Amino acid sequence: MGGDSSERLQRAIFLDRYAAKTPVVADATVFNRQKTGPHAQEVGKVVAIRNMTATVNWSDFSTSEQDVRDLFGLLETEPEQMWRRVAKAIASVEPNEEFRKFWEERFYLLLAGFPYVPGGRIQAGAGIQANLTFGNCFVIPSPRDSRGGIVDTLKTQAEIMARGGGVGFDISSLRPQGAAVRGVNGTSSGPVDFLNLYSTMTGIIEQAGSRRGAEMGTIHDWHPDLMRFISAKSEDEHFINHANLSVLVSDAFMQAVKDNAEWVFRFPDTTAPGYNEAWTGDLDAWTTAGGPVIEYDHMPARKVWTAISEFAHRRGEPGVIFIDTVLRESTTNANYKGARKEVSTNPCGEQPLPPFGVCNLGALNLASFVRGHEVDLEALAEMAKVAVRFQDNVIDASYYPLPENEEWAKKERRVGLGVMGLADMLIKMGLRYGSDKSLQVADDVFRTIRDAAYTASCDLAEEKGAFPTFDVEGYMQSAFVQRLPEAIKERIHQHGIRNITLLTVAPTGTTSLLAGVSSGIEPVFRFRTLRKDALGEHVILHPLAEAWQAEHPDEALPDYFVSAEQLSPEQHVKMQATAQRYIDASISKTVNAPNNHTVEDVQRLFTFAYKAGCKGCTYFRDGSTQEVVLREAAQPAKQEQAATTEDEFVELQSRPTKMLGRAYTVQTPFGSMTLDIHEITPGEPFEVFVNIGAAASDLNADAITIGRLASAMLRMDSRITPARRLDIIIDKLKDIRLARGTGTSPAAQMGTRGTTWDPGSGLGD
């Protein structure tokens, strides 16, 4: 499953996240979760416990004293034990003992060796006596536009997150900043400030004892506070830093951008009779019912589009969700004829959901279905059918945080069967990700999964019944359902279908690491990466690349070993759009772009994704200020050094071939100083060059050194903007002075010649 570092990480993830746990007592088998130290992330046996210190015999036959707070007691030490536990738990909801035994064995074969990997909540919780939900994806109703409603949403969010679920909701229901609040004779803080409150709660809650909560906040394009929402994370690095942000973009807005028309920001008249009872955040429903609307402001739609693209370019947020595409394709919206529809998505965006909607996740490992240079589509289809039954059973086996979650989960029986290892599948086949041939193969794979999943759900409907709220007349109107094969549509007409939605593509970050393959439908990020997580820093060597180089030690990797940064952003979108044709929910996919990508490029990319039929687009430009989990690890000089690179790792943004530049000449006590500032994004310095005096002088060497050190700080990945970093550099240097009274401090700025020098002059322009 890869080099030593990859196997070690896989085992550490299994023991930390998914192995069944027990209290740490004498004779317990334990896992040391420490990030560093001689026995970090190792398994041992507790010999004795005194106060909070355990004496542990480790697997290398050594013994040490360990703080019990760093230890997990283990009931499982191998994945086989987890697979058996999960298979038995999920089969336990079958109607009789014969079925339970049969499906337990089938589910075990589904899991063993990772051809299929359930969502992390299922692996961690199934068969364990704990009130943890097996659902990964939740959306809750938009907050009621009142103090009580805002607090109720906070409580609902906290309860779901504490049980292991990720939460999304739309904040368009909250009145704009500055709007009157008559009950207290005051004004509203606006939805963005309240979203920061929800984000803070997300950062506080630890999910199921192992990870921080996750949240998605969305807003409609018509909301008067849209522009503040778009720029929210650039105001303060600590503002809304535990939530993902996406704009719900409508067809009408995209048409206004195309036509270069004005865009009007609107909100219901909060003084209208019945507002408090009727307003839920659905502007279409409000206006259809005759509710009055106030127009707050307007601006060219292209200016709004530019702002969305600019901040996505700068920070990787907000993302865009094409909400009308979602609703047009939606089986949910069709089934209820618009009376119940998707209002937001889960934190990673792959599940648009209605209020109190719930979905569990699982992924077929596509790399495991390659035979020679072909995909075994027949085996893939059979595995997909078993996976649908598995995930349908999860609905009945799961604990639910709220009664409303359980009610809607069982009324709609929503599951999200997805994939992982697409990039590895293509590498095994010798195909370059993003090529025409790779798109053709992906088309075949996703069509096979769709048809198998819908066939299995029809089989389950005949055996166990359709989902309780199934309405054949409405359901069949979904644009997605209309594209199904005629034979499947006929079966749905006759017997219904078991699950209101069946398919998704989740990011599968940790679970794909556990299985040793690439995540979701993403290309390989890089073939050598440094991952930072709760278990510390890990150099990850891609197993297929490592194996190929072992056989070809003096050759470069073939071109089908392509990383995310080597693809054009359009190639990323084409793969997403190919998969989306066969996915009834949505797709979590990051479109990676080079550092020199422009704001105009982002606008074109988002428009391309919209026209290609994607339901959303998440963008990340190399070198933007958003923090990332994976980074490129330094390549060792020799292949045999591959496992010892943590100390070699330094991450600086790559230097593009073209940048904006400004030059200054500043008079100093020692002569003219030349200062060159280069930028990629206007207002964000990328590097600084300083020269003063004679070229070979000690003074000029010092100036060059300061410039290089400042440039290194500016080029490092950080959540602090480059402009702010430059302010910090200036602040740290401004009080330095020479013994003779010259230097950069305020007192020293009056040199022997009476000349003043402001070290920050021009830098903040």
Side-chain angles (χ1 to χ4, degrees):
M1 291 194 293
D4 290 343
S5 57
S6 299
E7 291 179 354
R8 181 181 176 85
L9 177 58
Q10 286 171 252
R11 181 162 178 78
I13 287 172
F14 163 67
L15 294 172
D16 181 57
R17 286 283 188 95
Y18 305 120
K21 307 295 191 298
T22 184
V24 177
V25 296
D27 293 329
T29 301
V30 292
F31 171 66
N32 182 9
R33 197 175 188 249
Q34 281 189 324
K35 296 181 180 180
T36 59
H39 301 293
Q41 299 167 32
E42 292 292 342
V43 173
K45 190 84 168 181
V46 174
V47 177
I49 296 180
R50 183 178 179 84
N51 297 326
M52 295 295 290
T53 302
T55 303
V56 185
N57 287 342
W58 298 104
S59 55
D60 64 358
F61 305 107
S62 64
T63 301
S64 71
E65 305 295 310
Q66 196 77 35
D67 190 321
V68 296
R69 288 168 292 190
D70 294 328
L71 303 175
F72 284 146
L74 295 174
L75 293 174
E76 298 168 347
T77 57
E78 301 298 333
E80 287 80 0
Q81 296 167 301
M82 174 187 69
W83 297 328
R84 183 59 68 185
R85 164 176 56 83
V86 172
K88 183 174 183 178
I90 303 306
S92 69
V93 301
E94 293 290 345
N96 57 56
E97 187 61 24
E98 181 183 358
F99 270 49
R100 287 190 285 273
K101 287 182 178 180
F102 175 83
W103 285 107
E104 178 184 341
E105 196 57 35
R106 291 292 288 114
F107 292 161
Y108 178 80
L109 295 174
L110 175 74
L111 302 170
F114 300 115
Y116 164 83
V117 184
R121 299 302 86 210
I122 300 168
Q123 295 185 96
I128 293 173
Q129 297 301 314
N131 290 334
L132 303 178
T133 183
F134 300 164
N136 294 70
C137 312
F138 292 77
V139 162
I140 58 179
S142 299
R144 285 283 181 180
D145 189 23
S146 66
R147 292 186 302 279
I150 290 165
V151 173
D152 286 343
T153 296
L154 191 67
K155 292 189 295 184
T156 300
Q157 167 197 359
E159 183 61 26
I160 293 172
M161 287 184 177
R163 304 297 181 183
V167 178
F169 55 91
D170 183 52
I171 60 168
S172 305
S173 56
L174 299 181
R175 69 188 69 190
Q177 184 182 39
V181 182
R182 291 190 299 172
V184 293
N185 196 28
T187 58
S188 171
S189 298
V192 176
D193 281 349
F194 287 117
L195 182 56
N196 186 51
L197 171 67
Y198 298 131
S199 169
T200 301
M201 173 65 80
T202 302
I204 293 170
I205 293 175
E206 186 178 76
Q207 290 195 324
S210 64
R211 63 179 186 178
R212 196 185 70 212
E215 176 180 283
M216 170 67 82
T218 60
I219 197 168
H220 275 276
D221 53 23
W222 46 257
H223 197 284
D225 282 5
L226 173 64
M227 299 302 286
R228 186 167 180 235
F229 178 91
I230 291 168
S231 63
K233 290 197 175 185
S234 294
E235 296 176 2
D236 182 340
E237 64 188 80
H238 301 297
F239 193 69
I240 317 184
N241 58 348
H242 297 303
N244 298 327
L245 305 183
S246 288
V247 178
L248 301 176
V249 176
S250 64
D251 288 347
F253 176 82
M254 295 302 293
Q255 188 64 43
V257 171
K258 180 180 179 181
D259 297 341
N260 196 20
E262 288 290 298
W263 186 249
V264 179
F265 298 110
R266 302 165 291 156
F267 198 81
D269 181 353
T270 60
T271 66
Y275 170 83
N276 292 332
E277 296 75 28
W279 173 242
T280 63
D282 187 337
L283 191 63
D284 289 339
W286 173 263
T287 55
T288 299
V293 171
I294 295 175
E295 294 185 358
Y296 277 71
D297 198 2
H298 62 87
M299 67 173 58
R302 289 185 183 177
K303 185 174 181 180
V304 181
W305 194 228
T306 298
I308 294 171
S309 304
E310 179 182 346
F311 284 98
H313 179 268
R314 184 182 301 181
R315 291 198 56 89
E317 287 187 272
V320 290
I321 297 170
F322 302 117
I323 188 62
D324 286 334
T325 303
V326 169
L327 297 177
R328 198 162 38 246
E329 293 279 313
S330 168
T331 53
T332 302
N333 184 44
N335 187 75
Y336 298 104
K337 301 174 183 175
R340 176 171 167 80
K341 58 188 178 183
E342 290 86 344
V343 295
S344 188
T345 77
N346 72 312
C348 294
E350 74 270 15
Q351 274 294 324
L353 292 168
F356 291 117
V358 184
C359 186
N360 65 71
L361 300 176
L364 293 158
N365 177 1
L366 297 179
S368 68
F369 294 95
V370 178
R371 312 285 185 259
H373 289 282
E374 301 291 334
V375 180
D376 187 340
L377 295 177
E378 184 177 346
L380 178 64
E382 289 307 309
M383 199 68 79
K385 291 175 183 178
V386 179
V388 167
R389 189 181 190 107
F390 178 95
Q391 289 184 234
D392 185 68
N393 279 13
V394 166
I395 296 167
D396 298 312
S398 179
Y399 168 85
Y400 293 92
L402 302 169
E404 296 91 340
N405 294 143
E406 182 169 12
E407 175 190 1
W408 284 108
K410 293 181 177 177
K411 279 183 175 179
E412 297 176 333
R413 308 199 66 82
R414 191 183 305 270
V415 301
L417 175 62
V419 300
M420 60 173 63
L422 173 70
D424 289 353
M425 176 194 78
L426 294 173
I427 290 172
K428 284 185 171 185
M429 298 174 71
L431 298 177
R432 183 181 172 90
Y433 186 109
S435 66
D436 289 345
K437 179 62 176 176
S438 76
L439 297 176
Q440 179 184 333
V441 169
D443 192 279
D444 292 340
V445 164
F446 284 103
R447 185 192 305 109
T448 296
I449 294 172
R450 178 202 64 182
D451 293 352
Y454 270 77
T455 297
S457 192
C458 289
D459 292 342
L460 284 170
E462 289 191 49
E463 178 186 338
K464 298 183 176 183
F467 67 90
T469 56
F470 174 70
D471 177 79
V472 65
E473 180 184 345
Y475 180 89
M476 297 303 296
Q477 298 309 306
S478 160
F480 183 88
V481 172
Q482 288 297 306
R483 293 196 301 273
L484 291 173
E486 290 300 322
I488 293 178
K489 288 194 287 186
E490 182 59 31
R491 290 194 66 191
I492 295 172
H493 266 295
Q494 289 183 353
H495 303 286
I497 194 163
R498 180 69 170 170
N499 314 95
I500 197 168
T501 60
L502 284 153
L503 301 162
T504 191
V505 177
T508 69
T510 305
T511 54
S512 59
L513 283 173
L514 176 67
V517 296
S518 54
S519 172
I521 63 164
E522 300 287 0
V524 174
F525 180 69
R526 290 188 178 113
F527 290 97
R528 182 181 185 81
T529 56
L530 183 91
R531 178 182 172 88
K532 296 182 180 181
D533 57 25
L535 293 171
E537 296 185 358
H538 308 270
V539 173
I540 303 174
L541 313 174
H542 190 275
L544 295 178
E546 184 183 19
W548 195 92
Q549 289 186 322
E551 295 180 6
H552 308 81
D554 299 321
E555 299 179 38
L557 289 171
D559 69 348
Y560 56 81
F561 282 89
V562 61
S563 63
E565 64 182 359
Q566 295 171 309
L567 298 169
S568 71
E570 290 74 19
Q571 286 175 310
H572 284 269
V573 171
K574 285 179 180 178
M575 184 62 78
Q576 180 178 337
T578 297
Q580 187 64 78
R581 285 198 290 270
Y582 303 103
I583 299 295
D584 52 17
S586 193
I587 293 172
S588 176
K589 169 84 180 74
T590 299
V591 176
N592 295 93
N595 185 269
N596 61 1
H597 219 228
T598 67
V599 173
E600 292 75 18
D601 291 331
V602 182
Q603 291 176 285
R604 285 190 289 270
L605 185 74
F606 282 167
T607 303
F608 177 61
Y610 171 70
K611 291 180 178 179
C614 295
K615 293 184 179 180
C617 191
T618 301
Y619 171 90
F620 182 79
R621 179 178 61 87
D622 181 40
S624 65
T625 56
Q626 188 185 64
E627 186 176 25
V628 294
V629 175
L630 293 178
R631 305 183 192 278
E632 184 173 16
Q635 182 66 33
K638 295 181 180 180
Q639 186 66 30
E640 58 266 24
Q641 296 173 337
T644 60
T645 59
E646 284 89 340
D647 294 335
E648 302 169 342
F649 172 73
V650 176
E651 171 70 11
L652 295 181
Q653 297 177 35
S654 57
R655 192 175 188 274
T657 56
K658 293 183 180 180
M659 286 183 281
L660 303 173
R662 289 182 290 167
Y664 299 89
T665 300
V666 182
Q667 296 303 313
T668 79
F670 307 101
S672 295
M673 179 183 73
T674 59
L675 185 64
D676 291 280
I677 302 173
H678 294 166
E679 301 174 341
I680 298 172
T681 302
E684 300 292 352
F686 182 80
E687 60 186 7
V688 178
F689 294 96
V690 187
N691 285 276
I692 185 170
S697 68
D698 292 344
L699 180 63
N700 193 47
D702 289 342
I704 292 171
T705 299
I706 290 172
R708 289 183 179 180
L709 289 172
S711 297
M713 284 190 66
L714 293 172
R715 290 173 61 184
M716 288 180 179
D717 278 340
S718 173
R719 299 189 68 170
I720 302 173
T721 66
R724 174 61 182 142
R725 272 179 269 169
L726 196 54
D727 288 340
I728 293 171
I729 293 169
I730 294 169
D731 183 65
K732 295 298 182 184
L733 298 181
K734 69 183 180 182
D735 293 325
I736 298 173
R737 59 183 295 169
L738 301 177
R740 55 181 171 164
T742 59
T744 61
S745 69
Q749 288 172 19
M750 292 301 296
T752 55
R753 303 178 189 174
T755 305
T756 62
W757 172 41
D758 176 6
S761 63
L763 298 186
D765 291 348

